[in-house]
Amino acid sequence: MPVYFLRRVLAAIPVMLVVAVFVFLLLRLTPGDPAAVLAGDMATPEQLEQIRASLGLNDPLYVQFLRWMGDLLRGDFGTSLISNQPVLDLVADRMWPTIWIALITITLSVIVAVPMGVVAAWKHRSWIDHLVMTFSVLGFSIPVFVIGYLLIKLFALDLGLLPVQGYVAPSEDLPGFAARAVLPALTLASIYIALIARMTRASLLDVLGEDYVRTARAKGLAERRVLFRHALRNAAVPVMTVIGTGFALLISGVVVTESVYNIPGLGRLTVDSIFARDYPVIQALILLTSGIYVLVNLAIDLSYSFLDPRIRY
Amino acid sequence: MPVLDIRNLTVAIDAKDGASVVRDISISIEPGETVCLVGESGSGKSVSSLATMGLLPKGALKVTGGEILLDGEDMLKLSPAELRDRRATRMSMIFQEPMTALNPVIKVGDQIAEVLEAHTKLSNAESHARVMGILDQVGLPDIERVARSYPHQLSGGQRQRIMIAMALILEPRLLIADEPTTALDVTTQLQILRLIKDLQQKHGTAVLFITHDMGVVAEIADRVYVMNRGDMVETGKVMDILAAPKMDYTRRLLSSVPSLVPRPPRPVASERLALQVSELDKIYGGGGFLSKAATTHAAKAVSLELKAGRTLGIVGESGSGKSTVARCVMRLIDPSAGGIRVGGQEIADLTPRGLHPFRKRLQMVFQDPYRSLNPRLSIEESIIEGPMNYGMPRAEAVAKAAELLDLVGMPAGSAKRYPHMFSGGQRQRIAIARALAMEPELLVADEAVSALDVSVQAQVLDLLTEIQERTRIAILFITHDLRVAAQICDEVAVMKRGEVVEYGPTAAVLGAPRHDYTKSLLAAAPGRDWDFPNFRPVAA
Amino acid sequence: ETTITAVMHSGLRVLDPVITTAHITRDNAFMIFDTLVALDEDFVVQPQMASFEVSEDGLSYTFTLRDGLKWHDGGEVTPADCIASMKRWMQRDGGGQMIEARMESLEATGDNSFELTLTEPFPYTLEAMAKPSGLALFMMPERLASTPANEPIPEMIGSGPFKFVQDEFQPGVKVVYEKNEDYVPAEGPQSWFAGAKDVKVDRVEWVTMPDAQTSLNALMNGEIDFLEQVPVDLLPLLEGMPGLQNQVLAPLGYVTIGRMNFLHPPFDDPKIRQAAKLALSQEDVLTALIGNPDYFKVCGAIFGCDTPFEFSDGSESLTSGGDIEAAKALLEEAGYDGTPVVLMQPTDVVTLTAQPIVAAQALREAGFTVDMQPMDWQTLVTRRASQADPADGGWNLFFTNWIVPEVSNPLANIMLPGRGDDAWFGWPTDETMNGLLDDFASAAELEDQKAAAQQIQARVMENVNYIHLGQYFNPSAWSDSLTGITEAPFPVFWGVEKEG
Amino acid sequence: MAENTMRAAFPLSTRALFSRIGIAPLLAGLVLILIILAAVCAPLVAPHDPIYQNPIQRLKPPSAEYLLGTDNYGRDLLSRVIWGARVSLLIGLGVTVMAVVIGLAIGLVSGFFRLADAVIMRIMDGLMAMPSVLLAIAIVSLMGASIWTVMAAITIPEIPRVVRLVRSIVLSAREEPYVEAAISMGTSLPRVLWRHLMPNTFAPLTVQATYVCASAILTEAILSFLGAGVSTETPTWGNIMAEARIYFRLKPELIFWPGLALSMCILSINLLGDWARDVLDPRMGKRES
Ligand SMILES: Nc1ncnc2c1ncn2[C@@H]1O[C@H](COP(=O)(O)OP(=O)(O)OP(=O)(O)O)[C@@H](O)[C@H]1O
Ligand SMILES: Nc1ncnc2c1ncn2[C@@H]1O[C@H](COP(=O)(O)OP(=O)(O)OP(=O)(O)O)[C@@H](O)[C@H]1O
Ligand SMILES: [Mg+2]
Ligand SMILES: [Mg+2]
């Protein structure tokens, strides 16, 4: 296990390097100029040039890249070109809302989606199955922001049950946090639930055709036991996998959800930074989200060995 | 009163006007009796047994007539809950594939205990004691450890013992065993058969034993039922059936079973060496940065020689390295050390490009006839691919394909059809035709008949013999079935754990084995005392 | 404790008001920093931190700091601080550079006074120092003001009515201000940026909401107190909502303009520029942009209607719905060869998406080939700095908006100077205009200034230095719990009270 | 027997169609055909010029002239939704074709050549790890928002998924005995790839393609929403909605109609994909995603 873990972590290095090179080149080889953003509307060309020089943007690309890499190795993610704050501070500030919303979404999704998928597989081809499948196809078919708007209209404006926007830290005001987290989490969960329910159903259907399920029935076990004790755990690996790869989807959804609900999280920080050409921040954020993605999927791979004793690392 | 009394059972496909797959069959089993249900693949053996357990796949098959009486109680009239209650307590079933029949993520001890949980009110301690008791009875070593193991940590034989323990823990009246030993090595098979017999005697259980292996039948059956395509053909005491079958179908089935007595040796026709393997070594795995994949030494210093027009058999238990040798010879994998000479030319260390000219001199027939033909190509396309790779014009190759298909006994006009339109036996013929199209000097057949019913197997073996006589091709024949080896091979090499432990003329090796391992293999072969094709015991 | 929660027009990211002309940075700076002198609602320069005296010959300006001025870190405000602040500002601001060009000396003359001496009279001096737009002149402690002009200052320490709460600042998300208890308001009634800046709440929080819909919802749900910009189309939603009110707080509003690239065809030809101008109609643009006519004003005056220099010479076609026929004729006459007009369209700025779309249709109708290229605003600002050929990375036309005070004075209006490569993007070379600007700068009397301004108006219309597309107004909305909100070119939070 | 003959004689009878295909995929196909027809014939079907602005007619409710009303530039919503189908479908199809073709080529190579595999998969892992919407926003805002950059931006993150799928199929298919048989018959590697391995990928790729297509159309809408989409002058369902979003409470129909078209379209594509999966390979569920 430790060896495997080490190997996987080492294997993540070239992946992150690919990400780093890609993002760096993407940012530098395409038009866009943080100096222009910084200087504002009335700046003259000459002022732009001065700012550019002072930001080090006139150095050759490889120099900039090596400088960035060197800084990274020393744990220095750089300083925002625009707001002049250390990138790490910015990220630390904006991280928690995103993490909280993501955690709530995942928990909610798993709690809702897995039973949905189980019931659908169990009642294969019944109306419940069709209902679940319809719902999950719908979940893939409606843009996140439309779902967001609909939920706001219904729960915040028409029924007046919840606030329409905002974020407060759970440590400050737990009920306030909860009230504001419900709608974004629901919005985000719509895709995730669809994804997980679908995968649970598909993989359970596969498993239900396996010999050991027949054996379990031949033992005279109750159907519920067959389903939850024998089938579900065997179906769990692909479901976990989808939770992992769906994480990328979650990040995308977060960007939109944070806009709709005005949550000061990492998604919006990234979008804002991209629009502002705030190179160090974009670089750090994409590297960070990619790193999290890699880690989450590593954690999920490791979880396989708990779900399925045949998998040993 | 019989324990199980199936009366006029009919099972059909669950659809409007669905065809019936089992028609009007009746089976009865007395307490303590072992009844064998035999028949070729698809004859309805499994369907009958699943119907008894109430485990027919929902929405696919349904019982449309008859009754199934278990101690006089009709299983077909029970509610699902009542039926569940009868399972494991009154009737139990064990399946063919012990790996997939056990839940891979639950410890085997828990899987057995689950039966007790579902049907009794024993305390944890009591239940644990019961589990240990039954594990002990099925002859498992170190039972505490075994109980805590997951299925994949046990060998095939051990897993099947677990299945048996699970089936018998509540001492059911009836045990149904659907091909419980087919996936096992002969030696393990013998142990399992003995175990079932022992337990049956101890508990007075009635056993319905499903198999297609006549050897097994001869070994254990009291009475035999023979099925063919959903119909019950014949039934009777085992000796009556084996010695004096009444129906043609049964006769054919029995006469297809190859005899364990080696056939008379053939004279050596040519001294030319088609294949010479010397000191071949193959080690799998290892290497790789930080990877700790264990290495497997799958072939150790294997040396073999094969003359033109002769057949060399490689036999041995599963995992002994037979396929490894074959694949090295074919250069589908790279040998770790040693030499392979084909027609005098060393090919062990050629690059893929250098190998190209020699490819056509070696061809292979694979085990699984369903996967060895590309399902998307017509069989003609599959056959002409090889010759055209070596520059034969298409028209000529097509003509040759037609010729070959005729040679292997395929109906005319089958060339344009696709593999799924043929039966397993036919597909194996096509695969042979494809190999022959290259006019190879050496044909490697890896378990080429193992997936076929005995009757089809006999036809394919005859075909190979006939072709060999005509073309003087050398055949490297890999099988785990000693009966087949005895009938087709001129020489036999016995492999064990990657080593050749005995090597010589078939008559010598199988007739008068010298190595202990060969002896134990032969001793374990079920029905070794019975000469099936001749309906009589083997002459001592 | 009372806190005003306000949603401003954009998120604050850049803090240094000398680095950027971004409005939000300036708005922020007005909370934290104070100015030496300030403009009141009559465009008159008033003392703020300092009283001033101008010598008879107009060459010497003496500033005397009022008592009790303190930095947020407790230090006294000294003339040295002010001088350093002015010098840094002069390096960057257009008005400041004009002063610097004429500056003889800038020196302290006592513990609380200093003197600016010029080589020639420059009547615009005080106005440049008081203007609330472009780069306004804010006073900072010397240690901050000595930061090089193209590097951001490291801290936000001012002497203004509010203190910046560094710990709670989240760039682009939230800025928090606390009342500066030590602040001593200036004399006189509050008027725009002049007079007493009397803070009546404990805290002000600016939060950013990227979605107009969301911020309006938040206001209607009572989650925020003040919304700087309400899309005019959405005003009907506010109508009849109890507890809310809305009003245009910046009565001068904004102007929207189109700027051409003078370096490349087709707009290097004045006739073709003229043709483009003829094709456009202020009403069409403004209707698409704003909708409700109560919130825009068709206005031919490049210095803005209701300003001292309101003239409308040469703007007939713009204000009367455009003259497509004349445009066609002129285009024909100029021999336009179909060179595509590369029109940059920002996709992410709500107040700038409509202009290119309407303009593209009008230009096409007049016979132009239009190549409209959508891009985000930041790409646009980068690209507009490129002098390359429009076919490879350059441009021909883009649109932008200004608040009226940014254009209302000829010397503040950055689009006017015609100094080629040194001019604002578009790089016109226009000696006539430069001459007129000099005339204006040296005009001592208002009447002379007006005469020069009128000629500048005519010149802009004739040479089409840019296309003036009219004025529009942005309603703000707030909850009834706020009182004392006053008109100003942009929202100020002193004088505002919050109940409860 | 009679029944069989009937079936053979009238293979397309409605009943047979329904029973063989099922109602949902049939309806989905119908909806999709309608949308494609509308897209192809947009110039004929649309009552107005989709980009002609008429400021006086801004934000008008539905009327005989403007069946669905007008947007904030006074453009006809119905015409924009119809024309929007064009671009949205073009983006969906374009992305699908590019992602599948590129992914297939890379996946085949990667699945078969161990050396290349190591490098390619690292790159693919890298691409996969980058959040796709963020990547797309970055690409679009950096390179300028034209249909082509939007398409490229959406394609790039889809490629690794296709590559992984193709590679996994190739990896398992190359162990198939018929592939070994071909090799032992002296078939060259490129030919083995082309003739024996690639066809195995078609069924799963068809299914994957439907999902790629659906998600591309959706991603375009999200990009528009975030301000990194195609110019509002070229109507796409995404940017019609994005542009109208501030009118969500005032004139919800501006979002409703394009949203309905979008969702119906994606729903249909997804349903067809599910159907294709059931038909082509009932066990594909495991490989997906
Ligand atoms: N789920 C099913 N749906 C439809 N037909 C089935 C199903 N299962 C079995 N059959 C059919 O029933 C017939 C009998 O099958 P069965 O499995 O009983 O054969 P068998 O005698 O057990 O063969 P084998 O020796 O290969 O196990 C076959 O023709 C088979 O095609
Ligand atoms: N590709 C491989 N990588 C690693 N080990 C392998 C590989 N193929 C086979 N082995 C191992 O090599 C040994 C010999 O395998 P081989 O397939 O040659 O046995 P076999 O005699 O053909 O058995 P069977 O009768 O089951 O086909 C076994 O222990 C097997 O697990
Ligand atoms: Mg069977
Ligand atoms: Mg083998």
Side-chain angles (χ1 to χ4, degrees), chain B residues 310-473:
Chain B
R310 307 279 287 176
T311 302
L312 168 62
I314 303 182
V315 299
E317 293 192 341
S318 179
S320 56
K322 307 182 296 288
S323 297
T324 302
V325 172
R327 291 161 60 80
C328 281
V329 167
M330 289 300 297
R331 282 299 312 275
L332 289 170
I333 52 178
D334 297 327
S336 306
I340 300 165
R341 287 169 165 273
V342 173
Q345 167 70 40
E346 179 63 50
I347 63 160
D349 45 13
L350 291 181
T351 60
R353 192 178 297 272
L355 205 54
H356 188 75
F358 298 97
R359 283 270 189 229
K360 63 182 304 215
R361 298 164 72 170
L362 332 154
Q363 286 300 307
M364 189 154 181
V365 179
F366 297 86
Q367 167 167 10
D368 187 344
Y370 294 87
R371 287 167 57 201
S372 65
L373 292 167
N374 188 336
R376 290 181 185 77
L377 299 181
S378 72
I379 61 173
E380 180 181 272
E381 291 287 331
S382 283
I383 294 173
I384 66 173
E385 180 171 358
M388 284 176 62
N389 284 336
Y390 287 91
M392 186 182 282
R394 190 183 176 90
E396 199 178 318
V398 169
K400 180 163 187 172
E403 212 174 284
L404 283 168
L405 285 173
D406 185 50
L407 179 72
V408 297
M410 294 291 293
S414 48
K416 300 282 184 225
R417 289 159 67 188
Y418 287 82
H420 70 266
M421 301 169 165
F422 297 98
S423 70
Q426 285 176 314
R427 284 187 221 192
Q428 213 56 316
R429 286 161 194 268
I430 297 167
I432 292 170
R434 177 177 60 180
L436 294 178
M438 304 291 281
E439 299 179 356
E441 292 163 35
L442 173 67
L443 188 65
V444 178
D446 188 357
E447 306 276 12
V449 295
S450 307
L452 306 175
D453 276 327
V454 272
S455 50
V456 185
Q457 175 179 326
Q459 293 164 15
V460 173
L461 290 177
D462 286 346
L463 173 68
L464 281 176
T465 314
E466 189 191 318
I467 287 171
Q468 188 171 44
E469 256 149 38
R470 238 192 279 181
T471 60
R472 301 270 127 226
I473 193 172

Side-chain angles (χ1 to χ4, degrees), chain A residues 146-189:
Chain A
V146 174
I147 296 181
Y149 282 159
L150 289 174
L151 290 179
I152 290 179
K153 173 131 174 57
L154 193 63
F155 291 102
L157 299 173
D158 293 351
L159 300 177
L161 293 175
L162 298 164
V164 295
Q165 55 87 38
Y167 171 84
V168 289
S171 55
E172 264 170 41
D173 171 11
L174 196 58
F177 163 78
R180 287 176 178 80
V182 172
L183 291 184
L186 268 183
T187 308
L188 259 184

Side-chain angles (χ1 to χ4, degrees), chain A residues 52 130 206 283 289 300:
Chain A
R52 223 175 272 139
H130 290 303
D206 268 354
Q283 284 166 182
T289 30
I300 282 179

